[in-house]
Amino acid sequence: MITSLVFLLMLATFPISGWFALKIVPTYERMIIFRLGRIRAPQGPGIVLLLPFIDHWQRVDLRTRAFNVPPCKLTSKDGAIISMGADVQFRVWDPVLSVMMVKDLIATTRMTAQNAMAKTLLKKSLREIQAEKLRIGEQLLLEINDMTKSWGLEVDRVELTMEAVLQPPQESQVGPLPPMPGLEGLDSTIQQLAAHLFSNTLALTGSANSSPEAADSVETVNKVEPPTAAVAAGSAWRKPSADELLSAVELFLSEPLVGQVGASYQVNITLPSGARSTYFIDLSSGSGRAGRGLPEGSPDVVLEMSEKDLQDLFLGELRPLSAYMSGRLQVKGDLHVALKLEELLKAMKQRR
């Protein structure tokens, strides 16, 4: 009776009531309606009719979203104290459960991810954490999804970020963690790429300076103790340009990688002078290609960033998801497809 009376009242006051009773729901959202306190099936996309006074509603976004787990101090199995955080991507697969089961979806999932990360890393040594971050992230992904499945939430990606090593391991026999001096905190994949670029830079410097003094300066770079090796070299070390980065990336492209990613990317780089350069990474066919200019056909995703941010991404000083969340990486297109470029880093690590 109440529903019928409200519906008749709405018809009597139409079209004025239409401004309040009709809502437009886009494709990427669903509307959850409580009528007289009872939940109804998700509404949308399209036009949804709400009855005044007796309907209460809430919108639920189905798109992939992201949040970060703030860095926290953790003690590893070998006694090292590290500051560790994480970037998490998630999406809602059941709008009703996401509204009914938890009040604050992001805060609850962040706390769950932080507890799972702490529980897992306490069982790992510092060497294992630095060498197996991708595998640990996949393990955390499964553990978090086991807990959040009943909330109508699915976590798509977990990326660990090590802020600092606050205290080294207590073991006296611990050897150097990475093979390349000056890059102790970086993933082995990034070390390989940095070593390739560093060797190219030294070769160019050696050819430009053939005097004995120049040769001595290059030899000094290799002997300087970390972490100031690259800084002490001065003219011998510089961050690689966008052209050098793309030429190094092309060495790791392959048909299996193309099969995993299956997308074409256009990368617009803003140079320090203010000029803009366009590059492409085509992982849609063949063995993949990378170079300067526009990709063949329309790209699936367009990425925009400065040259400095591109350098930081490839040298491990900036994480892709962190760059996107901070606004330093602009994405035009599907975010999930854009972040598939992480598969390139995995491929580089496997070919290490």
Side-chain angles (χ1 to χ4, degrees):
M1 288 180 60
I2 295 176
T3 302
S4 301
L5 289 174
V6 172
F7 186 76
L8 291 175
L9 178 62
M10 185 187 66
L11 291 179
T13 57
F14 193 83
I16 297 177
S17 60
W19 290 98
F20 306 97
L22 297 178
K23 302 292 182 181
I24 297 178
V25 181
T27 304
Y28 55 83
E29 286 185 351
R30 294 296 182 269
M31 182 176 288
I32 304 300
I33 300 176
F34 292 87
R35 178 163 296 173
L36 295 175
R38 296 181 178 180
I39 194 168
R40 305 185 67 203
Q43 303 295 310
I47 298 178
V48 177
L49 176 65
L50 298 175
L51 297 182
F53 310 117
I54 63 173
D55 280 354
H56 298 277
W57 53 276
Q58 180 175 338
R59 293 180 183 266
V60 178
D61 197 327
L62 303 182
R63 294 174 293 184
T64 298
R65 288 177 283 173
F67 64 84
N68 69 305
V69 177
C72 56
K73 294 182 181 179
L74 300 172
T75 303
S76 62
K77 185 175 66 175
D78 54 3
I81 300 178
I82 59 177
S83 177
M84 202 76 176
D87 297 317
V88 180
Q89 295 179 24
F90 73 97
R91 62 183 180 87
V92 173
W93 64 271
D94 191 319
V96 174
L97 290 177
S98 68
V99 173
M100 295 290 293
M101 301 303 295
V102 287
K103 182 177 181 180
D104 191 330
L105 199 62
I106 293 181
T108 307
T109 308
R110 179 185 284 116
M111 184 176 298
T112 301
Q114 189 172 29
N115 292 338
M117 180 181 69
K119 182 179 178 181
T120 301
L121 296 183
L122 287 176
K123 303 175 183 178
K124 304 287 185 180
S125 65
L126 179 60
R127 181 188 297 272
E128 291 172 334
I129 293 173
Q130 289 184 319
E132 303 176 2
K133 282 196 292 185
L134 290 177
R135 191 181 64 82
I136 296 174
E138 294 173 354
Q139 178 183 347
L140 287 174
L141 178 67
L142 297 176
E143 294 181 2
I144 297 172
N145 273 327
D146 286 340
M147 292 179 279
T148 61
K149 184 183 300 183
S150 61
W151 304 343
L153 179 101
E154 181 179 359
V155 176
D156 294 328
R157 186 180 184 83
V158 178
E159 181 177 345
L160 296 176
T161 56
M162 180 178 293
E163 299 294 327
V165 178
L166 304 179
Q167 177 179 310
Q170 295 179 357
E171 300 174 2
S172 59
Q173 303 296 327
V174 176
L177 296 176
M180 183 175 179
L183 301 175
E184 282 77 359
L186 304 185
D187 185 85
S188 58
T189 300
I190 305 301
Q191 293 174 20
Q192 182 189 10
L193 178 59
H196 171 79
L197 297 170
F198 186 66
S199 62
N200 287 347
T201 305
L202 293 181
L204 291 173
T205 306
S207 62
N209 302 279
S210 57
S211 63
E213 291 79 2
D216 292 339
S217 66
V218 173
E219 183 180 359
T220 303
V221 170
N222 293 331
K223 293 181 179 180
V224 173
E225 293 295 326
T228 57
V231 178
S235 61
W237 168 256
R238 61 178 178 83
K239 286 190 175 182
S241 65
D243 287 328
E244 293 170 330
L245 289 172
L246 267 297
S247 64
V249 167
E250 196 168 14
L251 299 175
F252 299 95
L253 303 183
S254 63
E255 291 185 6
L257 179 62
V258 170
Q260 291 177 342
V261 178
S264 176
Y265 301 86
Q266 177 180 325
V267 185
N268 298 329
I269 303 299
T270 303
L271 303 178
S273 62
R276 298 187 63 179
S277 296
T278 300
Y279 302 86
F280 69 90
I281 302 177
D282 188 356
L283 299 175
S284 60
S285 62
S287 300
R289 296 187 305 117
R292 188 165 187 168
L294 296 172
E296 296 181 359
S298 178
D300 297 296
V301 176
V302 178
L303 308 176
E304 295 185 359
M305 70 188 81
S306 66
E307 185 178 45
K308 180 181 182 303
D309 292 335
L310 180 69
Q311 294 166 343
D312 291 344
L313 281 173
F314 276 92
L315 296 181
E317 300 172 9
L318 180 66
R319 297 291 178 178
L321 186 57
S322 301
Y324 172 75
M325 295 177 62
S326 62
R328 298 169 67 177
L329 172 62
Q330 303 294 327
V331 177
K332 295 181 180 179
D334 192 335
L335 176 61
H336 183 70
V337 176
L339 294 179
K340 275 189 176 182
L341 278 178
E342 284 289 336
E343 298 295 336
L344 178 59
L345 294 180
K346 293 182 181 179
M348 293 163 56
K349 184 174 183 178
Q350 292 172 356
R351 293 181 56 182
R352 174 177 175 265

